[in-house]
C-alpha cells in the first residue's frame, strides 16, 4: 500500500467553486498509454508517450487525493489512457480506499485486462467498473480500436460480473461514423446482463467542429426494439447520465449529452492528468500544475492552498469545443482524451 502520512482525521468539509457548485469528485488519469487506439481518442501512429518520470508516481497520486479528501473530495474515478496497462492498479485502489473521506473509487476501462485483474480489483475495494464497448461487430471493433479484441473486452465484462462487481456499466461513444447496428448491439448487453448501458455523445477533442447530437436517433432505435423509454429515478451520485427504463430490457439505458445538453451547472468534478495537472473542465485548458509542487518540498498546506485557489477559476460552462482563452493559469492543450483522461 502507498501510505501517505500524516493521515488526517476526516473533516466534514465542502469545497465550492465561485459559482457555489459543490466539488467532490476527482477523475484521475493514471497513464497516457493504452492497449487500444480508438480512432476518436488516440492517433493510430506517431503518439509520443510521456516519459515515465513525468507521470505521477502512485505515492504522489495518493498524497494529492489525501489532500483533496481534506478539502471535501469523496469520490475518485481512475481512468487514462487505459488504467489497467499500468502495473499495480489494485494496490493503488487499496491505498485510495484507505484515505479518510474517500468512500467511492471507480474505474473506467476498455476491459481487455479485466479477465486477469478483476478479482484483485474487487478484493482491493474497487466500487464500480465502467467498460467502454462501442460495437458488438468484431470487424467494426477492430477497425475502430485498431485491435481484434472484442472477445477480450466482453470477457472482461463477464469477469467483472463473475467476481461480484454489482456496479458495472457499459459506455458506448456515439462517434460520427457509428451505426444503428452498433448502438443496438451494445444496447443488447443491458438486457443480457441486467446492467446500465450509457450512450455518450462524441466530443471533439482535437479541434473538430461541434458535432450534431445523435441521441435522438439512438432513442428511436431503442424504442423500436425495447418499447417506450421511461425516465428512471435520478442518479443519486450526481452523475451526468439521463437514465431510462424500457419494458423490453432488464438493464437500463443512459445518455450523456455533454455537448448538446450541457450539465455544467451541476458539474461536481475536477480532473488530474497523468502528469499532475489539475484540470478544472474537460473543455478548457485551465488548471494548475501540481507535479512540481509535489516534488519541490511544498507542504500539504501549500498544495491545498494552490488547489483551493485554482478551483475558483473553474469555468462556468463550456461551448462544446476545446477552448483555451481563459484568464487563469493554463496548461498545454490536450489533444485527445487519452491525454486528458476521459
Ligand atoms: N481506456 C479507458 C476506456 O476506454 O474506457 C479509459 C479512458 S477513455 C479516454 C474514457 C472514456 O472516454 C471512454 O468511455 C471513451 O470511450 C471516452 N472517450 C474517449 N474519447 C472520446 C471522445 N472524443 N468523445 C467522447 N468520449 C470519448
Ligand atoms: Fe484507449 Fe480508452 Fe482512448 Fe480507446 S478510449 S484509445 S481504450 S484510452
Amino acid at each position: 500500500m502507498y501510505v501517505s502520512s500524516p493521515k488526517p482525521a476526516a473533516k466534514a468539509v465542502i469545497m465550492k467553486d465561485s459559482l457555489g457548485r459543490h466539488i467532490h469528485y476527482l477523475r484521475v488519469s493514471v497513464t497516457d498509454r493504452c492497449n487500444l487506439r480508438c480512432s476518436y481518442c488516440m492517433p493510430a501512429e506517431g503518439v509520443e508517450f510521456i516519459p515515465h518520470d513525468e507521470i505521477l508516481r502512485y505515492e504522489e497520486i495518493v498524497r494529492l487525493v489525501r489532500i483533496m479528501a481534506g478539502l471535501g473530495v469523496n469520490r475518485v474515478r481512475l481512468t487514462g489512457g487505459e488504467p489497467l496497462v499500468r502495473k499495480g492498479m489494485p494496490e493503488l485502489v487499496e491505498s485510495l480506499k484507505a484515505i479518510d473521506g474517500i468512500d467511492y473509487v471507480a474505474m473506467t476501462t476498455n476491459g481487455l485486462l479485466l479477465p486477469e485483474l478483476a478479482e484483485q480489483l474487487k478484493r482491493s475495494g474497487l466500487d464500480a467498473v465502467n467498460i467502454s464497448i462501442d460495437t458488438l461487430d468484431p470487424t467494426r471493433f477492430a477497425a475502430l480500436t485498431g485491435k481484434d479484441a472484442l472477445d477480450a473486452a466482453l470477457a472482461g465484462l463477464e469477469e467483472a460480473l463473475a467476481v461480484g462487481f454489482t456496479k458495472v456499466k457499459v459506455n458506448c461513444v456515439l462517434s460520427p461514423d457509428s451505426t444503428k447496428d452498433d448502438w443496438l448491439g451494445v444496447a443488447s448487453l443491458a438486457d443480457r446482463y441486467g446492467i446500465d448501458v450509457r450512450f455518450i455523445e462524441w466530443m471533439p477533442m482535437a479541434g473538430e467542429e461541434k458535432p450534431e447530437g445523435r441521441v435522438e436517433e439512438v432513442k428511436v432505435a431503442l424504442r423500436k426494439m425495447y418499447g417506450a423509454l421511461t425516465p428512471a429515478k435520478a442518479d443519486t451520485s450526481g452523475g451526468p447520465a439521463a437514465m431510462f427504463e424500457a419494458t423490453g430490457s432488464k438493464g437500463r439505458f443512459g445518455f450523456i449529452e455533454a455537448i448538446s445538453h450541457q450539465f455544467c451547472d451541476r458539474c461536481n468534478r475536477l480532473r488530474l492528468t497523468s502528469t499532475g495537472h489539475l484540470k478544472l473542465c474537460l473543455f478548457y485548458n485551465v488548471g494548475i500544475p501540481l507535479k512540481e509542487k509535489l516534488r519541490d518540498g511544498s507542504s500539504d498546506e501549500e498544495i491545498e492552498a494552490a488547489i483551493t485557489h485554482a478551483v475558483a477559476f473553474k469555468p462556468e460552462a463550456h461551448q462544446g469545443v476545446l477552448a483555451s482563452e481563459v484568464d487563469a493559469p493554463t496548461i498545454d492543450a490536450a489533444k485527445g482524451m487519452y491525454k486528458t483522461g476521459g
Side-chain angles (χ1 to χ4, degrees):
M1 260 221 305
Y2 304 94
V3 177
S4 130
S5 59
K7 189 174 177 185
K11 294 182 260 175
V13 177
I14 290 189
M15 174 159 54
K16 291 203 169 167
D17 69 5
S18 56
L19 300 164
R21 291 174 296 193
H22 179 191
I23 310 297
H24 62 99
Y25 176 35
L26 178 68
R27 293 175 77 96
V28 179
S29 174
V30 293
T31 180
D32 62 329
R33 286 155 210 253
C34 189
N35 45 3
L36 293 182
R37 291 287 181 279
C38 301
S39 55
Y40 50 73
C41 176
M42 200 171 184
E45 280 165 19
V47 181
E48 276 186 34
F49 288 114
I50 300 166
H52 281 295
D53 60 353
E54 287 186 29
I55 301 277
L56 287 194
R57 298 188 286 269
Y58 284 156
E59 303 87 282
E60 293 172 327
I61 293 175
V62 172
R63 182 179 174 206
L64 270 185
V65 172
R66 178 176 54 71
I67 291 169
M68 293 176 82
L71 288 168
V73 167
N74 65 345
R75 297 170 76 87
V76 174
R77 177 169 296 277
L78 299 172
T79 179
E82 171 49 40
L84 293 179
V85 299
R86 188 160 171 189
K87 298 242 175 318
M89 206 45 54
E91 290 81 359
L92 176 64
V93 170
E94 196 182 352
S95 307
L96 295 176
K97 285 284 289 195
I99 295 172
D100 280 345
I102 297 298
D103 45 45
Y104 179 89
V105 177
M107 180 178 288
T108 300
T109 169
N110 60 32
L112 266 55
L113 293 171
L114 280 177
E116 57 201 82
L117 289 169
E119 193 176 358
Q120 281 182 65
L121 289 165
K122 180 79 179 100
R123 262 190 276 122
S124 69
L126 189 70
D127 293 289
V129 191
N130 288 0
I131 302 172
S132 306
I133 301 176
D134 294 341
T135 178
L136 289 200
D137 175 332
T139 311
R140 296 244 329 131
F141 188 95
L144 179 70
T145 65
K147 200 181 249 179
D148 183 8
L150 174 63
D151 284 350
L154 292 173
L157 168 60
E158 293 206 342
E159 187 64 14
L161 293 166
V163 301
F165 280 105
T166 52
K167 292 178 180 159
V168 177
K169 294 176 187 170
V170 167
N171 287 344
C172 173
V173 173
L174 300 172
S175 59
D177 62 348
S178 68
T179 66
K180 193 166 100 176
D181 287 346
D182 293 333
W183 315 328
L184 289 178
V186 179
S188 71
L189 299 172
D191 186 42
R192 192 186 311 169
Y193 297 110
I195 56 175
D196 287 355
V197 167
R198 305 176 324 157
F199 295 93
I200 303 177
E201 266 187 333
W202 169 72
M203 292 177 254
M205 297 305 296
E208 304 98 328
E209 290 206 351
K210 193 169 162 174
E212 289 297 316
R214 306 197 67 187
V215 165
E216 282 315 310
E217 287 177 77
V218 179
K219 284 185 178 167
V220 169
L222 290 178
R223 281 191 201 103
K224 272 198 192 141
M225 185 65 86
Y226 297 104
L229 299 178
T230 317
K233 262 202 291 189
D235 182 351
T236 48
S237 67
M243 298 303 305
F244 293 86
E245 289 162 350
T247 46
S249 171
K250 282 206 299 282
R252 306 186 305 172
F253 304 114
F255 300 93
I256 302 182
E257 297 180 78
I259 304 290
S260 38
H261 294 168
Q262 292 181 18
F263 29 79
C264 305
D265 58 336
R266 54 191 170 88
C267 183
N268 56 13
R269 61 188 58 181
L270 299 173
R271 292 167 188 271
L272 184 64
T273 71
S274 57
T275 56
H277 288 283
L278 186 70
K279 208 166 144 65
L280 305 169
C281 171
L282 182 59
F283 288 87
Y284 283 85
N285 290 323
V286 52
I288 48 160
L290 289 174
K291 181 177 76 232
E292 291 68 17
K293 289 204 171 298
L294 287 164
R295 295 183 183 178
D296 71 3
S298 293
S299 66
D300 286 358
E301 290 69 26
E302 285 165 328
I303 294 174
E304 184 176 307
I307 295 169
T308 314
H309 174 74
V311 167
F313 289 95
K314 188 169 163 63
E316 180 175 355
H318 66 73
Q319 280 73 46
V321 289
L322 199 65
S324 55
E325 301 304 317
V326 177
D327 182 19
T330 56
I331 63 170
D332 289 342
K335 291 207 172 71
M337 201 76 94
Y338 73 101
K339 278 195 181 168
T340 315

